[in-house]
Amino acid sequence: MANDYLWIEGIPFPTSTVRDLRSLQDQFVVRDEDVITLSYPKSGTNWMREMISLIHTKGDPTWVQSTVIWKRSPWVETQAGLDILENQKDPRFYTSHLPIQFFPKSFFKSKAKSIYIMRNPKDVIVSGYHFWRTVKATRNPDSFEEYFQWFLQGNVAFGSWFDHIHGWLQMKGKDNFLLISYEELHQDTRTSVERVSQFLGVKLSPEELNSVLKNVSFQAMKDNKMSNFSLVPDTIVDHSKGNFMRKGITGDWKNHFTVAQSEAFDKVYREKMAGLPQGLFPWD
Ligand code: A3P
C-alpha cells in the first residue's frame, strides 16, 4: 500500500486537504451569495455541481464545456480550491466533503445556499471502492472486501458515512439548506432540476430546462472532458485504473456485495441510523 491519508483529529482525509482545517474553519468567510455543494464523496457531488453550473447559465453549455468542473465549483478544503475562490466573483460556487464539525463556522450565520446530496451508502461503497483505487492522495484498497471493512470502520476519506450524514442532517429544515438524493435525481431528473433551480431562485423556461437536462445527462458528462475528470493530471489520479464516470446507476451494490456483506452492512446501518424518522431516505 503506497499511499496513505492525512489524519486530522482521528479522521482520514486525502493528502490534498489543508492541514490546518481548524484555521480554515475559523477564517474562511462564507458570503450570503455563495452556493455550496455538500456531500459525502461518491454520492453524486459532480452531478449536482454540473446541474448548478447549468442552472446558473440557464442551460447554456458554454461554461461547462470550457471550464473544468473543479474550477467552476472548487473544493473549499483544498489550497488549490481556496486559490481559485480568491478570484471568483459573486455568486461564488464551491464544493465540500467536510464533515459538519469542520465546516467554516461563518456558514452557520450566513444566508448562503447549500445543497447536500446523499446516496444509498451501499452504492457509495461500490463507487468509492472503484474511485479510491485510482487516487494517489489516499490509501488504496487492494480488494472490495478490504474497502468494505474500512468503510464500516470509518477509515475512508472524510471519515464515517454515518457520522457525515448524521452531522449534516442537523441542517434539515433550514431555509438555506436543500437535502436531495442521487436516487431522486436518477428517478426524475426533470423534477430534481426544477427543485434545485427553484431553491436557487432561478426561473428556467421550458427550453432552458431541456438544455440543462440534455447537458447534465450521464452521457453528456461522460463525453465532456471538462466534467469527466480525464483532465486530472496523472500525478493525482491513475487513469489506467478506472474512469470517474463509471456506471451512473442505482443499485450497483447488488453486483458487488456478497450476501454476508449485505447482512453485515444492514446490521451496522440499523444500529447507526436508529432513531431517524422513517421515510427520510429513498433507499430504505
Ligand atoms: P458510479 O461510480 O456508481 O458510476 P461523486 O461526484 O460524488 O464523486 O459521485 C460519483 C458518482 O456519480 C459515480 O457513480 C458517477 O458515475 C456518478 N455520476 C456522475 N455524473 C452522473 C450523471 N450525470 N448521471 C448519473 N450518475 C452520475
Side-chain angles (χ1 to χ4, degrees):
M1 187 194 306
N3 307 321
D4 206 348
Y5 300 118
L6 167 69
W7 293 82
I8 302 175
E9 299 177 27
I11 297 182
F13 291 93
T15 52
S16 50
T17 310
V18 294
R19 280 169 191 271
D20 196 353
L21 267 186
R22 290 296 179 196
S23 295
L24 176 75
Q25 187 179 27
D26 287 335
Q27 288 161 16
F28 185 83
V29 181
V30 173
R31 300 181 194 153
D32 288 344
E33 300 77 13
D34 293 349
V35 176
I36 312 165
T37 303
L38 300 166
S39 69
Y40 187 84
K42 311 319 293 173
S43 302
T45 325
N46 289 283
W47 199 2
M48 183 50 65
R49 272 170 146 179
E50 194 82 341
M51 203 174 273
I52 291 172
S53 296
L54 284 159
I55 289 171
H56 177 64
T57 61
K58 298 206 160 192
D60 179 348
T62 310
W63 194 32
V64 300
Q65 290 172 357
S66 59
T67 306
V68 284
I69 194 162
W70 60 88
K71 289 196 176 162
R72 281 184 263 125
S73 181
W75 280 281
V76 74
E77 57 265 28
T78 67
Q79 191 54 52
L82 290 167
D83 293 345
I84 296 166
L85 269 173
E86 259 189 23
N87 301 314
Q88 261 199 11
K89 297 192 180 70
D90 292 337
R92 301 185 304 177
F93 299 93
Y94 48 94
T95 303
S96 181
H97 291 316
L98 286 175
I100 194 167
Q101 71 272 23
F102 285 101
F103 201 74
K105 288 179 181 161
S106 54
F107 167 67
F108 301 97
K109 292 191 190 119
S110 77
K111 296 193 182 88
K113 291 186 173 156
S114 60
I115 303 179
Y116 186 89
I117 174 141
M118 56 185 182
R119 186 181 191 185
N120 183 339
K122 287 180 169 173
D123 285 337
V124 170
I125 296 181
V126 171
S127 184
Y129 164 65
H130 289 284
F131 178 69
W132 296 118
R133 292 169 65 217
T134 71
V135 176
K136 299 190 177 172
T138 58
R139 201 175 274 185
N140 305 130
D142 288 327
S143 68
F144 182 72
E145 170 63 19
E146 184 175 48
Y147 186 76
F148 176 79
Q149 294 299 338
W150 292 353
F151 189 95
L152 286 189
Q153 293 153 10
N155 286 335
V156 286
F158 297 93
S160 158
W161 178 89
F162 301 98
D163 293 348
H164 205 277
I165 198 130
H166 273 292
W168 282 107
L169 276 178
Q170 294 168 45
M171 292 291 293
K172 191 174 176 300
K174 299 246 188 314
D175 286 346
N176 61 341
F177 182 81
L178 182 72
L179 185 66
I180 198 162
S181 67
Y182 183 93
E183 288 71 19
E184 279 170 85
L185 255 62
H186 221 274
Q187 206 195 346
D188 190 346
T189 317
R190 179 175 291 269
T191 303
S192 301
V193 171
E194 283 171 341
R195 255 188 96 191
V196 173
S197 55
Q198 198 176 14
F199 175 72
L200 297 178
V202 179
K203 203 159 168 30
L204 297 174
S205 70
E207 295 75 32
E208 290 165 348
L209 176 59
N210 285 338
S211 182
V212 173
L213 287 168
K214 181 171 158 222
N215 288 289
V216 87
S217 73
F218 184 80
Q219 199 55 49
M221 283 183 67
K222 195 176 167 74
D223 293 343
N224 180 1
K225 65 180 190 304
M226 296 297 160
S227 310
N228 65 12
F229 282 76
S230 59
L231 295 177
V232 176
D234 292 334
T235 47
I236 298 177
V237 162
D238 184 344
H239 293 284
S240 70
K241 289 190 177 161
N243 287 325
F244 177 82
M245 298 296 293
R246 196 183 61 89
K247 278 195 184 172
I249 59 170
T250 58
D252 196 30
W253 68 269
K254 291 174 193 149
N255 301 317
H256 286 75
F257 278 49
T258 62
V259 173
Q261 284 168 338
S262 183
E263 285 173 4
F265 183 87
D266 291 345
K267 184 167 179 288
V268 174
Y269 183 90
R270 273 195 302 276
E271 285 162 14
K272 301 248 189 200
M273 306 301 270
L276 288 176
Q278 290 285 308
L280 196 54
F281 307 117
W283 56 82
D284 272 344

